[in-house]
Amino acid sequence: MTVGTENVLNYWHGGLSEVPDAVWHHPSLEVLLLPDNALTRLPARIGTLASLHTLDLGHNHLTELPPELGDLTSLSRFLYVHDNRLTSLPDSLGNLKRLAYLNVGENRLTALPDTLGSLDALVELRAQRNHLTSLPSSLGALTALRELWLRGNRLTSLPTSLHGLADLRELELRENEFATVPEALRGLPRLRRLDLRANRLRELPPWIGDLPALEKLDLRWNEVAVPDELLRRLEGRGCVVLR
């Protein structure tokens, strides 16, 4: 079907176990929506849809993605692969240099590929509820990134390169295993919201009061003591501190 001037195929909640043949009859397809189905594989042929700018594969049963996904260099808006059964991502995702939004959350990922640091246009990255124990240092090169969602992983630290995320506004680190606030966050000039709920924090570094744009700091479900002086500094300039 066609919506507006864009070629759109929408198979949302269609009970599909494979990608319909009709998809391959639309080489100029711009939007392909296949969420809430029962897909177990994505054909390598997906890489031939050279005009796609949006691809939604969320809420399926995919266990892997073909390397040909990286051939979709016109993907510029959204790539959803959340809520599948992925244990890894292909290195070829680093070819999607125009992509603004990537959601790989709610899978079984133990690592993210280094090549994700090549996604120059990425504004939002969601990798929540996986099995990540670390992040690649290359993510520090994502200078356009504004939101990073990492809830429900097994992270204990962040790479120091993340101090290069000068445009980062929102960072969710809830339900990880941080014992200290990562030094990589020190000096981030535009960080507004920092969610550290349900970690293992016991103390806060003094520099957290120097984050110039911080508006909300969520520390609930930690055993952390906030020094009175630090609390006054934060609240005195309008930062909401939840503890």
Side-chain angles (χ1 to χ4, degrees):
M1 71 184 116
T2 301
V3 178
T5 59
E6 296 180 331
N7 293 318
V8 180
L9 285 178
N10 186 350
Y11 294 102
W12 171 75
H13 202 59
L16 302 173
S17 58
E18 59 184 25
V19 178
D21 287 339
V23 168
W24 317 121
H25 300 155
H26 295 269
S28 60
L29 197 61
E30 295 177 324
V31 177
L32 178 56
L33 307 177
L34 287 161
D36 292 285
N37 283 287
L39 302 180
T40 58
R41 60 180 294 272
L42 185 64
R45 199 172 177 182
I46 192 71
T48 66
L49 300 178
S51 297
L52 276 186
H53 63 63
T54 295
L55 176 59
D56 188 348
L57 299 165
H59 309 293
N60 278 286
H61 302 154
L62 299 171
T63 58
E64 62 180 359
L65 299 174
E68 289 79 7
L69 197 63
D71 295 338
L72 300 178
T73 53
S74 290
L75 274 182
S76 57
R77 299 187 187 178
F78 302 98
L79 174 56
Y80 299 90
V81 293
H82 58 293
D83 191 20
N84 277 282
R85 300 172 183 176
L86 302 173
T87 57
S88 64
L89 300 172
D91 288 342
S92 61
L93 286 187
N95 297 336
L96 308 181
K97 297 183 181 297
R98 299 173 60 192
L99 187 64
Y101 178 99
L102 175 60
N103 190 337
V104 299
E106 300 172 70
N107 280 286
R108 302 170 184 177
L109 302 174
T110 57
L112 299 177
D114 288 341
T115 55
L116 290 191
S118 299
L119 302 183
D120 299 333
L122 200 64
V123 172
E124 184 168 339
L125 174 59
R126 291 180 175 255
Q128 70 280 5
R129 293 195 171 100
N130 278 286
H131 304 308
L132 302 176
T133 58
S134 64
L135 298 178
S137 61
S138 63
L139 294 189
L142 299 177
T143 55
L145 198 67
R146 295 186 179 187
E147 297 186 21
L148 180 56
W149 300 77
L150 296 166
R151 175 182 180 174
N153 281 286
R154 301 170 183 172
L155 298 169
T156 59
S157 64
L158 296 177
T160 57
S161 62
L162 294 196
H163 74 268
L165 301 181
D167 210 20
L168 191 66
R169 289 64 177 317
E170 185 150 352
L171 177 58
E172 186 195 51
L173 299 176
R174 179 178 177 175
E175 296 167 15
N176 277 280
E177 299 179 11
F178 291 99
T180 59
V181 180
E183 183 76 15
L185 308 184
R186 186 171 187 169
L188 289 181
R190 295 190 177 182
L191 187 62
R192 296 175 183 171
R193 296 178 181 86
L194 176 57
D195 189 344
L196 286 161
R197 279 177 283 181
N199 277 278
R200 300 177 178 179
L201 299 177
R202 292 186 176 276
E203 60 181 7
L204 295 179
W207 56 258
I208 205 166
D210 299 327
L211 292 171
L214 197 61
E215 298 174 354
K216 183 177 179 181
L217 174 61
D218 201 333
L219 300 168
R220 288 175 289 177
W221 309 310
N222 286 282
E223 297 181 7
V224 61
V226 183
D228 290 341
E229 180 181 354
L230 179 57
L231 187 61
R232 285 195 296 270
R233 286 173 61 197
L234 289 166
E235 294 182 338
R237 56 183 181 82
C239 179
V240 175
V241 181
L242 302 176
R243 57 197 174 116

